[in-house]
Amino acid sequence: MESKKGQTTISDKYLRDIILNFMIAGKDTTANTLSWFFYMLCKNPLVEDKIVQEIKDVTCSNESKLNNIDEFVANLTDVILDKMHYLHATLTETLRLYPVLPLDGRTADAPDVLPDGYKLEKGDGVYYLAYAMGRMSSIWGEDAEEFRPERWINNGIFQPESPFKFVAFHAGPRMCLGKDFAYRQMKIVAMAILHFFKFKLANGIENVTYKVMFTLHLDKGLPLTAIPRSY
Ligand code: HEM
């Protein structure tokens, strides 16, 4: 298959690389973030209650829809997703504490000087630790280590931060291209699952931790017990 856009021919290899890029960039990132999100909800049941209430308020769901997950998901329009401010804040708070790319960086293309005067030679690597930055009180205040989605909400509306402060999606011209898509995907999955089930950590599990990899995986996964909701 060869596609044409204007005068440019896009080769099969180019198309393949773009699709692969989206699959690699888009799968583990959202899947791991959702795992940390459900872990945080198990640890913070009041946050879960607030999201479940927001889902009911925003979707105006009634009992007749409760047994039909397909119908529920089919009704999740962009307008509805955009109204889920508290869920958006909770996903963002999850990424602040558990950024799926915990370490990222760049290589200097040419000699340069950083804003603090530090000199770089061509080929020098510059790295930042999103995991550490998300937990620094000098950036987020004294409660930096607390999971508190409310820090992102003002008058019920989600308030974004500068991408140079909230660095989970990187910042600048090469920041994540799939950010909006990722939120949309994670919100749909979270809403569909939370509307029908509540979760608790499986028996014998109290805490989970991460495995040091390129992405922030949960070590040994997240054993959960799912309980159907009854309204
Ligand atoms: C929670 C979800 C996600 C997070 C936290 C995330 C984070 C990031 C980060 C930190 C980068 C910069 C990597 C680097 O160049 O050093 C990046 C790049 C990128 N992301 Fe995401 N990502 C997520 C989901 C997605 C999804 C769902 C897609 C696509 C479907 C996607 C597509 C991309 C692409 C294409 C780039 C490369 C952009 C460029 O180099 O110009 N991401 N992402």
Side-chain angles (χ1 to χ4, degrees):
M1 184 178 77
E2 292 266 314
S3 307
K4 282 195 174 171
K5 189 181 168 208
Q7 298 299 309
T8 323
T9 302
I10 300 173
S11 70
D12 282 359
K13 181 174 174 307
Y14 184 73
L15 274 178
R16 185 202 63 192
D17 289 349
I18 294 214
I19 291 166
L20 197 62
N21 188 358
F22 266 69
M23 284 169 68
I24 293 169
K27 183 182 146 289
D28 274 15
T29 46
T30 45
N32 279 311
T33 304
L34 280 170
S35 296
W36 291 111
F37 167 82
F38 280 106
Y39 175 54
M40 282 296 97
L41 295 195
C42 291
K43 291 288 200 182
N44 299 275
L46 290 179
V47 172
E48 176 175 336
D49 291 348
K50 279 193 186 178
I51 297 175
V52 171
Q53 188 57 49
E54 187 179 51
I55 296 172
K56 282 196 229 166
D57 293 346
V58 166
T59 61
C60 305
S61 59
N62 54 39
E63 268 189 52
S64 65
K65 283 186 189 158
L66 276 182
N67 290 326
N68 193 335
I69 194 161
D70 290 337
E71 190 189 337
F72 180 82
V73 172
N75 283 319
L76 294 180
T77 58
D78 278 345
V79 174
I80 285 183
L81 296 178
D82 286 347
K83 287 185 188 163
M84 294 293 300
H85 290 277
Y86 193 74
L87 173 59
H88 200 102
T90 310
L91 287 164
T92 308
E93 183 71 345
T94 304
L95 278 163
R96 182 180 70 85
L97 290 174
Y98 298 101
V100 77
L101 289 185
L103 166 72
D104 201 0
R106 290 291 182 266
T107 305
D109 202 26
D112 205 347
V113 182
L114 295 183
D116 68 354
Y118 192 89
K119 290 198 175 86
L120 294 174
E121 298 300 329
K122 178 179 161 68
D124 280 352
V126 179
Y127 296 88
Y128 64 94
L129 271 165
Y131 186 90
M133 283 178 72
R135 289 155 191 261
M136 284 166 68
S137 51
S138 54
I139 299 178
W140 297 99
E142 282 312 309
D143 64 353
E145 300 225 19
E146 257 175 60
F147 182 77
R148 206 171 58 79
E150 285 72 13
R151 77 176 77 238
W152 297 92
I153 298 278
N154 190 5
N155 283 332
I157 307 289
F158 175 79
Q159 304 294 317
E161 284 283 1
S162 155
F164 293 93
K165 173 176 175 182
F166 171 63
V167 289
F169 291 97
H170 199 60
R174 300 305 294 264
M175 80 176 282
C176 178
L177 276 178
K179 181 173 170 239
D180 292 343
F181 182 76
Y183 271 107
R184 187 175 299 130
Q185 207 181 10
M186 293 190 294
K187 279 170 147 176
I188 292 171
V189 173
M191 287 173 78
I193 295 181
L194 284 172
H195 190 59
F196 291 91
F197 297 96
K198 66 172 37 239
F199 294 92
K200 62 184 187 70
L201 291 172
N203 283 343
I205 306 284
E206 277 183 23
N207 292 305
V208 296
T209 187
Y210 57 78
K211 182 152 77 178
V212 180
M213 292 176 69
F214 180 62
T215 48
L216 199 69
H217 274 257
L218 285 96
D219 193 23
K220 303 188 182 68
L222 181 66
L224 292 179
T225 303
I227 306 149
R229 273 185 202 284
S230 52
Y231 289 95

